[in-house]
Amino acid sequence: MNPLVPQVATILAIREDTPDVRTFTVRPDGEDFPPYRPGQCAMLSLFGVGEAMISITSTWAPETALEFSVKRAGRVTSALHQAEPGHKVGVRGPYGNSFPVDQWVGHDLLFVGGGIGLAPLRSVINHCLGRRAEFGRVDIVYGARSPRDLCFRQELFESWPKVPGASVQVTVDAADAEWEGPVALVPPFLEQLKPDAAGTFAVTCGPPVMIRYTLQALTRLGFPDDRVFTTLELKMQCGVGKCGRCSIGPKYVCIDGPVFSAAELKSLPAEY
Amino acid sequence: MTDRQAALRDIAAGLLGGGQFATFIGFRAGLDPSRPVPHFVRDASGAGALVINPFCGAGLARHVLEALEDGPVGILTRGCDGLGLERLIADGRVARERLHIVAVACRGAVDPARARAILGRIPERAEVDAQAVTLIAGEERRSVPRDSCLLSRCLNCVDPSPRLADSWLDEPLPAGVRDFKAVSHMEQQPPEARYAFWARQFRRCIRCYACRNVCPACSCRSCSLDDPELQERATSLADQFGFQFTRAYHVAGRCVACGECQRACPMSIPLSLLNEKFLKDIRDSFGIADPHRPSAVEPLACYRPDDPESWRGDAR
Amino acid sequence: MTMNLLPSERLAEFRECLAAGARLYGPVEVDGIVLFEELGGRPPAIRPGNPANSLKSFLCPQTEAVFDFEGGYTDVALRVPAAPTAQAIFGVRPCDAVALERVSRVLLAEPFADESYRQRREMTTILTMACREAGPHCFCRSVGVSPADGRGSDVVLYPADGHYLLEAVTARGLSVLQSAGAFLDPARDEAARATCQSTPVPLIGAVEREDLAARLEAVALHPHWDELARRCLGCGACTFLCPTCYCFALFDTVRGARGRRSRGWDSCQFKDYSLMAGGHDPLPTKASRIRRRFLHKLSRFPAVQGEYACVGCGRCGGTCPVGLHLAGVLSELEEVLR
């Protein structure tokens, strides 16, 4: 079977999360999508437009549909935002490694997200909360450009804060008239919160510049590099380690990543 | 060392040492003596690496675009380079006053591949005059006709010296008149033969875009060929024709006939022939004797109210 | 391994025998340049060095359909192209065959083996002509490849005076020799192979292999890359002609209700190669892209695969419009390092 040929799938539902983020519920028309792990991605495509690698934001369970939260950025994602329920898309995957969740069992977890970077984190957060008893505290720090750019509001403000031993801190870069919460960029906000690094695993995802400063902040907060994880996004074409596009040194983000520890990242050239 | 080379190094060192110029563009020795490479001298002490010899084949004009981002540029300039610079200036891409043009007369550059094939080994030196090329390796000297071993882009050259200059390394040579012999020959072929010829040429295009990237007339800041919408590369012979014609039309009326596209083409597609066809048509349709030389009146770049055809093309 | 002698005058018959069950490709001279093309009865142009194009034209073509689709927004049917038919490529140089072996390491890597490449590779017979003379840009020995290398080949022909020594390297090669048995002489000529094994490769001195990857990584941020970038035109000639460059892009084309998703060669030297939709570009400068090309070939691919992603075929040396080729750049970096 040619790994570049997708399954034809149907968009079952579309939720408008922010002015430029929509969450698509998608199910293949034929065989079920293979089981996937938190942090993995899939190539989502529109026939006649092209493909984009999107992180799977749902958490796998038998016979459940896939969810992709897609920010409108380029050609493919803009076209996806024009799609309607019932439209056909192509989907292939799952691709990439995943968050080493089993390594985290028995530890506190800190998730730091920015903007649409919460999409891959949502999958692993829900996965960990589904195995609640296996972890210590679960602290979630999230920021977006403005209140209306906050993704996954239902989870951020309703379901996650209600989980015992979990906390959610939300900040925005710039407030609007109704916002009464903190106003700060994520990295300094995180440093103000002073999370306890002892025995904690930190996981971060967001825009490239936010990831860079968050990794620095985590280092200052005392997190060792092998306990900090991030998930990278680079331009991809094949998703299966052939086309060369997403290589960082000897690694391919699509098959060796997208999840890397800060220690692994430091061993790679700064080409991401 | 030749007088010209010594003078070049002195001028380059002077320009860079004066602090006003950021870069001097010329040539320096490559991995083998028959393949010097474009060189970008950044300070006066580096000027000693500059060389001039008949193996200096690459066009230099296009390189000023990026070099000017660092400050004013001095540049070794043959006739072809000079026309390329004129093109960039006429197109508003380069300001004349940010260039120091060091003019040199050129009798043609030796094609290193052809020279090696003739000599059976890599030539160390060459001498080019109006009649012949002499290839030299060790004790061996061999004189051969110009058209057997010059770059194809040099064979039809009628501009040995640049028209713009701030310094001269030697006396300018007189300009000539293009004869469009190859185009006339092609025009006499029946359409089927012309199609078969171009199909054979274009079929092997690999879409590397070297022709675009070396061209002094193809200098748009952003090119539609880089648009992801147009990434469909060579899916059919029709696509190849489409690309080649589009490229040729985009430079029609602005092509300076430097032939760099053809020199750069790794698949040896005779792109100059296509460009020359446009030039010949411009000459014949508009009565311009030397349409490859940028001028105040460029027929495909201007519109006159008394044009016999209206702007929209509907007959008057 | 099986060895046979083929008298020189029977080479044409041997080729005809190959063409019986497969499309036969080989180097031919077209408009003054030598290219791999379908031979169609033409005599092959076997010259020192390599044709302008590489074998990837036949194994990962410039563009090919991944699948065709038909339908509208709510109804789409996909159709995959027919499987490739048998092909044989005659007159391949050893470096090009080794390049296939290098590229296969990536494209055939599981669990996502590149199916169209795998099918083509399985349907392709490689008949290699070992070198008795190096081309002007050849530097195979510098990167661990020999003018008599058999890796990636099915049959290697070692030219000698009056005959060729034929060596079957694979089972497929053995069946070629069996089917051509009528032309072959079971005699042996070890000298023919030894001659090719000792063919001098003059450019070898340009590349110093000792600790090459480590020495290159040590100068990864040297300003000389900016100097190279000034010279580089940013075209894709080097990468498209390179037999070990395998980058590709996927793109859709539509005509009415029908369309096609294709794959086609792409080049890390193109300016928007790694530009992302949001504007982020991990390789934002020409210098970063040139560095990536050289380091990929000589440090990062070897780190994973244990071999260089360069076979010293010399194509970049013969074709780069500004002389920015692997052997030249390495010799420049050696100068910089000193």
Side-chain angles (χ1 to χ4, degrees):
Chain A
M1 186 59 205
N2 188 336
L4 302 178
V5 177
Q7 292 176 270
V8 175
T10 305
I11 299 176
L12 303 178
I14 301 173
R15 185 182 73 217
E16 185 156 346
D17 292 318
T18 78
D20 60 6
V21 175
R22 289 180 184 197
T23 297
F24 297 81
T25 308
V26 169
R27 185 196 291 278
D29 294 352
E31 280 178 37
D32 279 349
F33 195 78
Y36 53 90
R37 303 182 302 274
Q40 287 196 293
C41 302
M43 270 289 184
L44 199 56
S45 62
L46 282 170
F47 300 103
V49 180
E51 292 191 302
M53 187 69 105
I54 308 286
S55 45
I56 308 172
T57 192
S58 46
T59 307
W60 185 81
E63 291 172 30
T64 55
L66 295 156
E67 286 179 347
F68 299 97
S69 293
V70 180
K71 183 180 161 107
R72 189 176 64 233
R75 208 162 38 88
V76 175
T77 53
S78 297
L80 264 174
H81 273 236
Q82 303 285 317
E84 294 169 13
H87 284 190
K88 297 299 180 189
V89 293
V91 61
R92 55 187 180 94
Y95 295 135
N97 64 359
S98 54
F99 290 104
V101 177
D102 293 335
Q103 183 196 336
W104 305 343
V105 168
H107 293 270
D108 294 341
L109 303 179
L110 169 67
F111 295 97
V112 185
I116 189 62
L118 191 56
L121 297 187
R122 177 198 182 221
S123 170
V124 66
I125 291 170
N126 283 333
H127 176 92
C128 292
L129 293 180
R131 298 163 56 178
R132 184 70 199 88
E134 298 178 50
F135 303 97
R137 287 198 53 78
V138 175
D139 295 312
I140 298 162
V141 178
Y142 178 62
R145 281 172 305 184
S146 74
R148 60 181 207 148
D149 291 308
L150 295 168
C151 301
F152 307 112
R153 290 170 159 270
Q154 193 277 333
E155 276 137 323
L156 280 175
F157 296 114
E158 291 171 38
S159 54
W160 290 342
K162 289 190 188 129
V163 176
S167 79
V168 178
Q169 304 283 342
V170 180
T171 176
V172 295
D173 299 355
D176 61 14
E178 278 100 64
W179 181 256
E180 290 172 352
V183 178
L185 297 173
V186 169
F189 181 64
L190 175 68
E191 286 198 75
Q192 283 170 15
L193 291 172
K194 295 195 173 55
D196 184 7
T200 305
F201 281 89
V203 187
T204 182
C205 185
V209 63
M210 176 241 155
I211 292 181
R212 176 147 38 102
Y213 287 106
T214 300
L215 293 179
Q216 292 172 7
L218 289 167
T219 300
R220 284 194 293 272
L221 288 163
F223 284 83
D225 287 341
D226 59 355
R227 289 198 175 184
V228 173
F229 292 86
T230 186
T231 171
L232 295 181
E233 186 185 18
L234 285 185
K235 186 170 175 178
M236 293 181 191
Q237 294 279 325
C238 73
V240 293
K242 315 294 184 202
C243 79
R245 198 61 88 292
C246 68
S247 78
I248 305 175
K251 302 280 188 192
Y252 284 112
V253 173
C254 64
I255 51 172
D256 301 314
V259 175
F260 292 95
S261 72
E264 286 173 294
L265 278 188
K266 281 189 179 162
S267 73
L268 296 174
E271 291 173 355
Y272 50 87
Chain B
M1 194 193 301
T2 63
D3 295 343
R4 298 191 307 177
Q5 189 166 290
L8 172 69
R9 291 174 180 183
D10 283 347
I11 294 170
L15 292 174
L16 295 168
Q20 247 188 312
F21 286 81
T23 312
F24 190 91
I25 305 176
F27 290 90
R28 70 164 171 72
L31 187 58
D32 85 54
S34 69
R35 293 177 186 263
V37 295
H39 186 46
F40 302 78
V41 187
R42 307 277 290 169
D43 57 62
S45 64
L50 290 167
V51 300
I52 308 182
N53 62 53
F55 295 114
C56 295
L60 297 178
R62 176 68 188 258
H63 287 293
V64 301
L65 275 182
E66 278 178 40
L68 280 168
E69 289 170 14
D70 296 335
V73 168
I75 177 169
L76 176 68
T77 305
R78 297 152 298 179
C80 51
D81 302 315
L83 291 172
L85 293 174
E86 287 186 50
R87 181 76 271 149
L88 290 164
I89 293 164
D91 289 351
R93 295 290 271 122
V94 166
R96 173 71 182 89
E97 63 275 14
R98 299 187 74 215
L99 296 177
H100 184 100
I101 296 175
V102 180
V104 65
C106 173
R107 293 186 182 277
V110 175
D111 182 333
R114 300 175 86 189
R116 184 187 180 279
I118 290 168
L119 215 53
R121 56 175 162 161
I122 293 168
E124 288 154 14
R125 287 189 298 127
E127 291 161 7
V128 178
D129 62 31
Q131 283 76 43
V133 176
T134 306
L135 302 172
I136 303 155
E139 296 298 300
E140 187 181 0
R141 290 176 66 93
R142 190 175 316 172
S143 285
V144 294
R146 284 167 56 86
D147 60 4
S148 69
C149 84
L150 289 188
L151 288 172
S152 65
R153 80 188 194 95
C154 300
L155 294 176
N156 298 319
C157 175
V158 293
D159 301 271
S161 298
R163 301 196 295 179
L164 303 179
D166 298 303
S167 323
W168 280 97
L169 296 182
D170 49 17
E171 291 294 311
L173 291 168
V177 179
R178 299 193 86 79
D179 59 15
F180 298 108
K181 250 190 242 163
V183 180
S184 302
H185 176 75
M186 177 62 76
E187 284 170 345
Q188 283 154 20
Q189 306 292 313
E192 307 77 50
R194 294 205 302 265
Y195 179 80
F197 174 82
W198 287 113
R200 196 174 74 235
Q201 306 297 332
F202 294 160
R203 187 173 278 123
R204 62 177 186 258
C205 170
I206 56 170
R207 297 288 184 99
C208 68
Y209 303 141
C211 51
R212 172 193 64 176
N213 291 14
V214 291
C215 177
C218 216
S219 66
C220 292
R221 284 168 211 273
S222 94
C223 174
S224 58
L225 288 171
D226 297 327
D227 189 321
E229 304 270 356
L230 294 168
Q231 258 191 357
E232 46 176 298
R233 296 190 180 109
T235 50
S236 65
L237 181 59
D239 273 345
Q240 296 286 39
F241 270 90
F243 161 64
Q244 293 286 349
F245 286 173
T246 303
R247 188 205 66 79
Y249 268 99
H250 277 202
V251 300
R254 296 184 306 110
C255 170
V256 297
C258 66
E260 259 296 271
C261 49
Q262 183 163 325
R263 187 193 69 86
C265 179
M267 303 308 276
S268 303
I269 299 172
L271 297 165
S272 293
L273 190 54
L274 213 52
N275 298 336
E276 294 255 333
K277 168 65 177 158
F278 281 106
L279 291 170
K280 179 169 178 287
D281 285 353
I282 292 168
R283 182 193 70 175
D284 297 345
S285 304
F286 298 97
I288 291 171
D290 50 1
H292 67 291
R293 294 181 185 133
S295 70
V297 180
E298 296 188 340
L300 300 194
C302 63
Y303 175 72
R304 287 205 320 235
D306 60 342
D307 194 292
E309 287 165 1
S310 82
W311 177 249
R312 289 190 303 275
D314 44 325
R316 229 180 244 184
Chain C
M1 266 299 160
T2 302
M3 300 246 206
N4 289 104
L5 291 191
L6 173 70
S8 296
E9 66 273 15
R10 305 206 72 171
L11 189 61
E13 288 170 272
F14 176 70
R15 278 199 311 274
E16 275 166 35
C17 167
L18 295 170
R23 289 171 82 104
L24 180 63
Y25 297 88
V28 285
E29 186 171 332
V30 183
D31 298 309
I33 62 165
V34 178
L35 294 170
F36 279 119
E37 279 196 356
E38 192 162 0
L39 279 176
R42 289 176 287 182
I46 307 279
R47 312 267 168 81
N50 278 294
N53 56 344
S54 78
L55 299 189
K56 74 184 178 190
S57 299
F58 311 105
L59 285 135
C60 349
Q62 195 170 350
T63 52
E64 66 172 322
V66 180
F67 58 89
D68 289 317
F69 54 86
E70 186 169 359
Y73 289 121
T74 57
D75 177 27
V76 175
L78 308 189
R79 193 161 38 90
V80 295
T85 54
Q87 56 184 0
I89 313 178
F90 177 85
V92 171
R93 290 300 183 187
C95 50
D96 266 2
V98 173
L100 283 186
E101 186 266 336
R102 300 284 156 85
V103 168
S104 296
R105 291 170 188 237
V106 175
L107 295 186
L108 298 183
E110 296 291 355
F112 300 113
D114 180 338
E115 186 61 14
S116 68
Y117 177 80
R118 190 185 63 75
Q119 288 181 359
R120 280 205 173 80
R121 187 71 187 90
E122 284 175 2
M123 296 301 281
T124 306
T125 307
I126 304 291
L127 298 115
T128 297
M129 186 70 76
C131 304
R132 288 185 71 174
E133 186 186 339
H137 307 286
C138 294
F139 59 100
C140 59
R141 288 191 192 281
S142 308
V143 284
V145 177
S146 135
D149 220 303
R151 290 174 287 175
S153 302
D154 294 301
V155 175
V156 182
L157 291 83
Y158 302 97
D161 296 330
H163 61 256
Y164 296 88
L165 171 69
L166 271 55
E167 179 185 15
V169 182
T170 62
R172 189 191 291 127
L174 194 58
S175 69
V176 167
L177 294 199
Q178 280 161 356
S179 67
F183 317 124
L184 302 178
D185 180 337
R188 300 178 71 118
D189 174 13
E190 292 297 340
R193 183 158 65 166
T195 303
C196 295
Q197 278 167 339
S198 58
T199 296
V201 180
L203 258 187
I204 183 172
V207 184
E208 174 56 61
R209 274 172 74 200
E210 194 74 25
D211 295 329
L212 182 57
R215 283 183 298 125
L216 277 174
E217 292 289 352
V219 293
L221 299 176
H222 193 280
H224 190 68
W225 296 102
D226 298 319
E227 163 67 23
L228 295 172
R230 285 187 195 100
R231 204 198 314 163
C232 176
L233 295 161
C235 76
C238 51
T239 47
F240 284 175
L241 297 174
C242 177
T244 61
C245 276
Y246 49 81
C247 283
F248 64 86
L250 294 168
F251 52 90
D252 288 16
T253 45
V254 189
R255 305 281 182 269
R258 290 167 187 229
R260 170 174 288 185
R261 182 159 299 156
S262 305
R263 61 189 280 186
W265 297 348
D266 201 358
S267 170
C268 61
Q269 302 303 294
F270 285 157
K271 95 179 145 60
D272 294 343
Y273 172 78
S274 55
L275 177 67
M276 294 173 70
H280 178 66
D281 191 345
L283 302 172
T285 61
K286 219 163 24 169
S288 66
R289 294 188 288 272
I290 298 170
R291 172 169 55 233
R292 177 196 172 103
R293 173 177 156 230
F294 287 99
L295 290 182
H296 172 78
K297 293 201 168 301
L298 301 169
S299 165
R300 291 159 189 184
F301 183 95
V304 179
Q305 305 292 352
E307 299 270 12
Y308 296 119
C310 171
V311 292
C313 75
R315 286 187 178 83
C316 51
T319 49
C320 175
V322 290
L324 214 156
H325 47 85
L326 199 128
V329 166
L330 283 182
S331 74
E332 285 178 36
L333 286 168
E334 293 291 341
E335 255 172 64
V336 168
L337 282 168
R338 268 201 291 274

